[in-house]
Amino acid sequence: MISSLKRFHPFHQTWADMSLGKLQGRIHRLSGTIKLIVQFELHSYASIRRPWIRSDAWTCVSIASELGKLLTLVLVLSLILSDVIGDPVDIIASGPTVASSHRVQDCLQILAKYNLLSSLPGSVQTVLSNSVTEQNALTDYSHVCNVVIGSNRLALEEARREAEHLGYLAVIVSNAVCGEVSTVAHLYSLLIQLVCLSITRAPGNDSLTDKVKAALSNLAAELEIPGLNLTQTLNTLQDSEAERPICLLAGGEPTVQLQGNGKGGRNQELALRVALDLHKAKFAGDGTFLDRYEVVFLSGGTDGQDGPTEAAGAFASQELVDEAAQEGLDVESFLSNNDSYTFFAQFQGGHHLLLTGLTGTNVMDIHAVLIRARGGE
């Protein structure tokens, strides 16, 4: 297979031809460049990666980028698993069977924005300056049919069907949740509070409901989450039977701003932060309405691994902070050190960790909120 592909490869050299030292050198340049640009959102990263995917630093993976060229004489069916918000097929895995929408100039502008041009390896700078992609790129992909067979949206739809089968009123809130994890946690906390207030329907809660709704709307606007329709979600819930348990589903991929040196992942940290935010809301003076409901929040990675841990994620209730304190565990201390895994491993013997094992796939993260009135079945 490799020998056949070599005839078509633009550099006439693959990883099979390299000495171990040369391959290690190229991988080192590749990893160095990745470390420079991981601060970008994924779409910016892909905009940078694709123009120089055929460079010296990416030779070891450039065979995949040539698939469209190699298969121009046959019809191509590309089955795609999406781990990118919005399922853009030109971004997923750098879109090897999709015409590139990125120009070298786009790449240079992004790198200039973050003052990283001078920090790039020489081989990458050379490829960008020579505009290799624009000269050699295939533009006619009419022989290719790209089909997304797995995505966060599809996973959420299946989760909704299962929740409904279990008797929940299930609503998909969004499949594009993104943003810094503490902000996303506050968004979920406000959403949970608003849902509980809405289904309580107590006249004395009107001012509080308006206050929470305004805060939630402002935060949602700040995060700019695609497809997030809070009004539709609330209308669906308000039209339901008051005693019916609720399942809110969402997905996406929040990010964590590392401040400590603990062990954890974005899903475990998100669950822990939601629990802390609900705890603070309940004791803020007007949050006693939360006592009427059992609330569980779960966040898990569909690949089965959350950060450098054995867990896929974790689940938490609004009682978690108090229960942890009884065991001598201070939630805020663990969060300040980004040490969510250590917390969940110690808390109640690790009972709240989500342990699935590696799944062999990845369609980003799944978030689930379960709400039911206390005393309900």
Side-chain angles (χ1 to χ4, degrees):
M1 177 67 174
I2 293 296
S3 60
S4 299
L5 291 175
K6 283 168 59 178
R7 293 184 293 110
F8 299 96
H9 192 263
F11 289 95
H12 302 290
Q13 182 182 42
T14 69
W15 57 269
D17 299 314
M18 301 180 201
S19 65
L20 179 60
K22 182 175 289 188
L23 178 59
Q24 289 175 332
R26 294 186 172 191
I27 292 175
H28 177 73
R29 287 191 290 275
L30 167 62
S31 61
T33 305
I34 290 174
K35 288 178 181 178
L36 287 172
I37 61 178
V38 290
Q39 61 186 299
F40 307 146
E41 66 275 15
L42 184 59
H43 287 68
S44 293
Y45 170 54
S47 298
I48 293 170
R49 181 173 66 174
R50 185 146 184 174
W52 49 267
I53 198 167
R54 296 179 181 84
S55 73
D56 178 74
W58 277 86
T59 299
C60 55
V61 294
S62 59
I63 291 177
S65 71
E66 296 298 305
L67 282 178
K69 288 184 180 180
L70 295 176
L71 302 175
T72 53
L73 299 180
V74 297
L75 295 177
V76 177
L77 174 62
S78 179
L79 305 180
I80 301 170
L81 288 172
S82 173
D83 62 347
V84 184
I85 287 176
D87 305 333
V89 291
D90 63 327
I91 299 293
I92 302 165
S94 294
T97 58
V98 183
S100 176
S101 59
H102 307 298
R103 299 176 300 115
V104 171
Q105 191 59 37
D106 298 331
C107 176
L108 293 172
Q109 288 175 354
I110 293 171
L111 291 168
K113 174 183 176 181
Y114 293 95
N115 298 315
L116 293 178
L117 279 171
S118 60
S119 302
L120 293 177
S123 58
V124 176
Q125 293 187 39
T126 299
V127 170
L128 292 176
S129 62
N130 290 339
S131 304
V132 172
T133 299
E134 293 185 325
Q135 294 173 9
N136 296 327
L138 180 69
T139 57
D140 182 9
Y141 280 77
S142 59
H143 62 296
V144 178
C145 178
N146 295 297
V147 181
V148 177
I149 61 170
S151 68
N152 195 264
R153 177 183 60 80
L154 294 173
L156 288 173
E157 289 176 354
E158 184 61 31
R160 177 174 61 183
R161 284 190 286 271
E162 181 62 22
E164 290 174 344
H165 176 70
L166 293 172
Y168 286 89
L169 171 62
V171 179
I172 297 176
V173 179
S174 173
N175 66 346
V177 175
C178 55
E180 207 281 320
V181 69
S182 61
T183 306
V184 173
H186 190 47
L187 177 83
Y188 279 123
S189 173
L190 289 171
L191 178 59
I192 291 168
Q193 293 174 58
L194 186 56
V195 169
C196 291
L197 284 166
S198 299
I199 59 180
T200 300
R201 299 170 183 169
N205 287 334
D206 289 348
S207 61
L208 179 57
T209 300
D210 292 341
K211 176 183 175 182
V212 174
K213 183 182 294 186
L216 179 60
S217 297
N218 291 336
L219 190 57
E222 176 187 329
L223 287 171
E224 298 181 331
I225 297 174
L228 180 61
N229 191 330
L230 296 175
T231 301
Q232 181 178 344
T233 298
L234 292 173
N235 289 340
T236 301
L237 297 176
Q238 288 175 337
D239 292 339
S240 68
E241 302 172 12
E243 67 277 6
R244 190 176 179 187
I246 291 170
C247 176
L248 304 177
L249 294 164
E253 205 161 84
T255 55
V256 177
Q257 295 281 345
L258 292 177
Q259 297 176 329
N261 57 4
K263 185 176 183 180
R266 62 175 176 266
N267 289 285
Q268 294 162 79
E269 180 150 336
L270 179 58
L272 195 54
R273 287 191 179 276
V274 169
L276 178 62
D277 210 296
L278 288 173
H279 172 79
K280 290 181 176 179
K282 185 159 59 171
F283 291 97
D286 51 8
T288 55
F289 65 92
L290 287 169
D291 287 328
R292 304 174 190 173
Y293 298 95
E294 293 180 87
V295 178
V296 175
F297 177 86
L298 177 146
S299 182
T302 55
D303 60 355
Q305 183 174 35
D306 186 34
T309 75
E310 63 177 348
F315 63 92
S317 69
Q318 58 177 324
E319 292 80 26
L320 178 143
V321 174
D322 286 335
E323 293 172 351
Q326 294 174 11
E327 296 186 24
L329 302 174
D330 179 46
V331 169
E332 293 190 83
S333 295
F334 283 94
L335 285 173
S336 65
N337 194 37
N338 298 117
D339 205 15
S340 55
Y341 175 77
T342 303
F343 169 84
F344 280 113
Q346 295 180 10
F347 177 56
Q348 296 185 355
H351 174 68
H352 287 69
L353 284 171
L354 180 62
L355 301 171
T356 64
L358 297 178
T359 63
T361 188
N362 179 19
V363 290
M364 298 186 289
D365 302 335
I366 298 293
H367 309 146
V369 180
L370 303 181
I371 302 173
R372 69 176 181 180
R374 291 195 183 276
E377 297 182 358

